[in-house]
Amino acid sequence: MPNLRTSSLSRRGLLAAGGAVGLGAVLAACGDGGEKDSASGSGAEKSGPWSFKDDRGQTVKADSAPKNIVAFIGVAAALHDYGVEVKGVFGPTKTSDGKADVQAGDLDINKVEVLGNVWGEFNVEKYAGLAPELLVTAMWEKDALWYVPDQSKDKILKLAPSVALWAAQTTVPKAIQRHEDLAASLGADVRSKKVTDAKAAFEKAAARLRAAAKSKPNIKVMVGSASQDLFYVSLAKTSADTLYFQELGVQFVEPKVNAAGFFEELSWENVDKYGADIIMMDNRSSALQPEALTSKPTWAGLPAVKAGQVVPRTTEPIYSYDKCAPILDALAEAIEKAKKVS
């Protein structure tokens, strides 16, 4: 793990640090995300009582739709795509050079209060100053609020009600639907041309990926994440994106996962343990990127690397149709162009 010792991390901390790629293999199978609220999605200004049942099964209620919203950066980016803006964010928002992190999507990070940029960081005082009416985040483990620090969780949750949406134990379409449900309840027009066009593009991309996988059934994909000392090979079924790709017919390397059940840690000397034709590499700023691995001979010697068949993997997707369609198209293109090298 970059700058962190694996032994000192919780499962959530380990995931945040960049090695794991989704939780859920040892938990319950994915469900439908719970009941939808009754929002019409017309985009009309909401008036009167507001309620939303989240993926914990908890129903949040208010006299009117919340306006002062604080959200995990990826959720904030998804809400932005539906036209719902937030006051503050937490989670990987800015890179070391001050630019927007990949998880920020199209969100203007200069127009929101950044409460924390790394794992374990959340400025409670700034949060209180925003007069928050709703906190929204992802959920990789049941009832665990993503990037809300355990040590300050009680103080944070006293200031505003919270909503948690599954980022694991689900698939991409289900996750998008739940983010859309929330956006609609907050007043977004989810029937707008922008949204319906994005949905059509997503469905077209999904059909393309299914066709690509069917046309090249022998192409095997490995899901990887790199740190200085270890290479992590993840089990596809434990994450929303790769589980969905699997449902569309993509063939994945199946590692011998550790006791937690999510991924296998390989030393760089053993990085060639599995044959793969395409390697999908964790694109988060917490993980080493392929250009940083050129000095590792075993990496450079992998058939997929030598063939130029290494592609970025959006490990924590922004769950809107607009952001997920390009992910499907990119993998479809990689498979369409791939040669069998393993």
Side-chain angles (χ1 to χ4, degrees), residues 27 66 103 122 144 179 218 228 234 284:
L27 302 175
Q103 295 190 60
F122 192 113
H179 284 71
N218 294 324
Q228 190 60 44
S234 292
R284 293 177 296 179

Side-chain angles (χ1 to χ4, degrees), residues 267-327:
S267 67
W268 284 104
E269 290 79 10
N270 296 313
V271 75
D272 59 353
K273 180 177 179 178
Y274 298 105
D277 305 296
I278 295 173
I279 303 175
M280 298 181 70
M281 289 294 287
D282 187 346
N283 75 337
R284 293 177 296 179
S285 55
S286 56
L288 291 182
Q289 298 307 302
E291 58 268 22
L293 304 176
T294 55
S295 63
K296 297 185 180 296
T298 51
W299 167 260
L302 293 176
V305 176
K306 291 195 290 186
Q309 295 177 176
V310 178
V311 298
R313 184 227 174 175
T314 304
T315 304
E316 293 187 54
I318 295 167
Y319 287 115
S320 69
Y321 291 113
D322 183 68
K323 295 299 179 292
C324 288
I327 295 173

Side-chain angles (χ1 to χ4, degrees), residues 204-256:
K204 182 178 179 180
R208 179 185 179 186
L209 180 54
R210 187 188 296 276
K214 185 176 182 180
S215 69
K216 293 192 174 180
N218 294 324
I219 294 296
K220 186 152 284 192
V221 180
M222 182 163 65
V223 182
S225 185
S227 72
Q228 190 60 44
D229 298 322
L230 295 171
F231 184 79
Y232 302 85
V233 181
S234 292
L235 191 63
K237 68 180 182 181
T238 63
S239 193
D241 62 329
T242 46
L243 174 59
Y244 182 52
F245 302 157
Q246 206 167 40
E247 290 180 352
L248 292 174
V250 178
Q251 301 299 309
F252 286 96
V253 166
E254 295 192 7
K256 295 180 180 179

